[in-house]
Amino acid sequence: MTISRIRLVVSLSRPPVLALLALFAATGMAQAGGGDDATRLTLVLLVVGSFVVSAVALNDVADEAIDRVNLPDAGDRPLVAGTGGRTDLRIVAAAAAALAVLAAAAIGPAAVLVVVGGLLLGVCYSVGPARLAARGAIASMSLPAGYVAVPYLLGLLAARGSVRLGDLPLLGGLYVGFVGRILLKDFRDVAGDALFGKRTFLVRHGRRRTCAASAVCWVVGSVSLLGVRHPTPALVAAQVAWVVVAIGLLRALGVDGGHRRDERLISAIAIVGRGMLLTLLAHLGTTAARWPAAGATAVLAGILLVHLGQAHTMVRCGPRCRIRVPEAWSAGGAELAHHVHLVPVGAVLDHLAGGDLEVVGEAELELAPRCRDRALR
Amino acid sequence: MTADQRHQVWRVIGITFAVVVALTGLAVVGTAIALVVALNSMGSNK
């Protein structure tokens, strides 16, 4: 396999998405009492990773036209970036699906059923007459089923071999909470979605109702998360803190302050969501290891502190800016800043504001936020 | 302090914390924290 093929597969794995699904899988294993079994976890991650690559490749093929409008500079969309063709993606999707099923067979027949169900959901979501992705609230309800239920159930099955009734409230909480976050992903794509008649929840119901629906999901989901094993006061306090912060951010998002502000707020809400999931995993881990309450509380507090700090930075500064400029520019940072600020070309400013290019050289790192802020004014 | 430096500060704090958690016996939890903290600054919407 060539380097370009490896890059193609890596880009299709969408590392942040894969990390999220890995968290759900680890949570499932921990809920079943097998959270420290690294060998089983590796097997589950192989299944989950293959599942993600297959589903994403299919979705990229189906959404090529929309992605060209919504994400014209996205380096992780092979069809848009020109790093892969439709046939390449179809081959990768088929191979990854086969690998997912084979690896799931090593866990057990129930795991094969879960993966096949997830792959079928991925097909129905992206292509064919069903095309759930274009069906408003149904899209927001079905996507989390693949994102949450598949890895969580695989984690349970890998650790224990069965799913019990007591595991379902936690699954419900994770699912509803994730619906609350996935509703927001359409803010980024609203222009292309409306243009191509993709009737997302946001397109149908608007900003304020979408934020309100998300807030309801956050509250309901966090309450259901208390279906976790042995909930403690520290866990409850952490959940309350996450929800309060999320609702504050959603309230801000309910007011239209421009695309860049939306992006920052939604990224911050996603950080809060991931932090909530980590506190859950840490709670299960410390409970299984029989940690004293003080130690367990310290771990939860540490996760809370770091994630709130990252969310605050995200709201204030936006995501990391990776701008690539010609090598010759790196000779003089101040002069470069002067020239970049004067460039009136909208497309260039959009690139800078998008934060999706890579910085090279020494002097340019400090320029990115300033350029971006200027672009936003 | 630039935006990238702010992100970097939190990454260093978070990953240091994750290493401590991993070394105290919670290897999977520590690894998960490090992974998530490292990816948080990328701006994912999920």
Side-chain angles (χ1 to χ4, degrees):
Chain A
M1 186 181 281
T2 62
I3 297 292
S4 61
R5 289 281 170 91
I6 294 172
R7 280 184 178 163
L8 176 63
V9 172
V10 170
S11 74
L12 288 172
S13 72
R14 303 277 198 276
V17 175
L18 186 56
L20 189 64
L21 268 70
L23 273 185
F24 286 124
T27 303
M29 287 192 69
Q31 172 75 0
D36 54 353
D37 187 340
T39 307
R40 301 297 280 178
L41 181 59
T42 304
L43 182 60
V44 171
L45 294 183
L46 176 63
V47 181
V48 169
S50 305
F51 164 71
V52 169
V53 169
S54 177
V56 167
L58 262 185
N59 189 249
D60 275 12
V61 172
D63 280 357
E64 180 184 358
I66 300 177
D67 286 345
R68 286 190 188 281
V69 174
N70 287 331
L71 307 162
D73 303 313
D76 63 348
R77 295 296 192 280
L79 294 175
V80 177
T83 54
R86 296 172 70 87
T87 305
D88 295 330
L89 264 63
R90 288 194 179 106
I91 292 171
V92 169
L99 180 59
V101 173
L102 280 175
I107 298 174
V112 173
L113 279 178
V114 169
V115 169
V116 170
L119 290 168
L120 287 175
L121 177 65
V123 172
C124 293
Y125 182 82
S126 297
V127 298
R131 185 150 165 75
L132 301 175
R135 293 175 182 265
I138 295 175
S140 302
M141 304 292 279
S142 59
L143 187 59
Y147 273 27
V148 178
V150 170
Y152 176 79
L153 292 174
L154 285 171
L156 285 174
L157 292 168
R160 191 202 290 142
S162 64
V163 178
R164 296 176 186 164
L165 202 59
D167 301 323
L168 298 184
L170 179 56
L171 173 60
L174 294 171
Y175 171 79
V176 175
F178 195 69
V179 169
R181 283 148 60 194
I182 214 75
L183 280 172
L184 306 179
K185 85 176 180 64
D186 296 323
F187 275 87
R188 181 194 65 185
D189 301 335
V190 68
D193 290 346
L195 187 67
F196 286 89
K198 196 172 173 181
R199 304 288 290 164
T200 63
F201 191 90
L202 178 63
V203 170
R204 285 176 185 235
H205 301 289
R207 172 182 293 267
R208 293 185 68 84
R209 285 188 180 179
T210 301
C211 291
S214 174
V216 169
C217 289
W218 268 87
V219 172
V220 173
S222 63
V223 170
S224 305
L225 287 183
L226 298 178
V228 70
R229 288 190 308 154
H230 311 302
T232 61
L235 178 67
V236 174
Q239 298 291 347
V240 170
W242 292 126
V243 172
V244 167
V245 173
I247 289 177
L249 292 167
L250 284 167
R251 195 174 170 202
L253 185 64
V255 179
D256 188 355
H259 177 67
R260 289 296 134 205
R261 179 174 173 273
D262 287 353
E263 182 190 8
R264 294 178 182 196
L265 289 168
I266 291 167
S267 295
I269 291 168
I271 289 172
V272 171
R274 290 190 287 269
M276 178 186 264
L277 197 52
L278 274 178
T279 53
L280 200 62
L281 183 63
H283 162 77
L284 288 166
T286 53
T287 301
R290 300 183 186 282
W291 276 35
T297 303
V299 173
L300 298 194
I303 294 170
L304 196 64
L305 175 71
V306 170
H307 281 72
L308 291 183
Q310 289 193 298
H312 179 260
T313 301
M314 185 62 71
V315 171
R316 190 171 168 184
C317 307
R320 274 175 61 209
C321 197
R322 304 175 65 216
I323 300 173
R324 180 177 289 281
V325 296
E327 196 65 42
W329 287 20
S330 62
E335 188 181 352
L336 172 65
H338 176 71
H339 285 302
V340 171
H341 286 172
L342 291 179
V343 169
V345 183
V348 174
L349 294 177
D350 282 342
H351 277 301
L352 295 169
D356 50 8
L357 305 176
E358 186 175 351
V359 177
V360 295
E362 297 174 356
E364 294 81 355
L365 276 168
E366 293 193 18
L367 299 177
R370 282 193 287 157
C371 296
R372 183 174 54 210
D373 289 343
R374 291 226 170 191
L376 295 174
R377 286 181 195 139
Chain B
M1 190 182 285
T2 67
D4 282 307
Q5 285 169 336
R6 287 178 195 279
H7 282 301
Q8 184 67 19
V9 166
W10 282 112
R11 268 203 304 276
V12 170
I13 293 171
I15 291 173
T16 305
F17 171 67
V19 170
V20 171
V21 170
L23 290 177
T24 49
L26 299 177
V28 171
V29 175
T31 306
I33 294 172
L35 185 65
V36 171
V37 165
L39 291 170
N40 272 345
S41 58
M42 291 176 68
S44 171
N45 59 9
K46 298 184 184 69

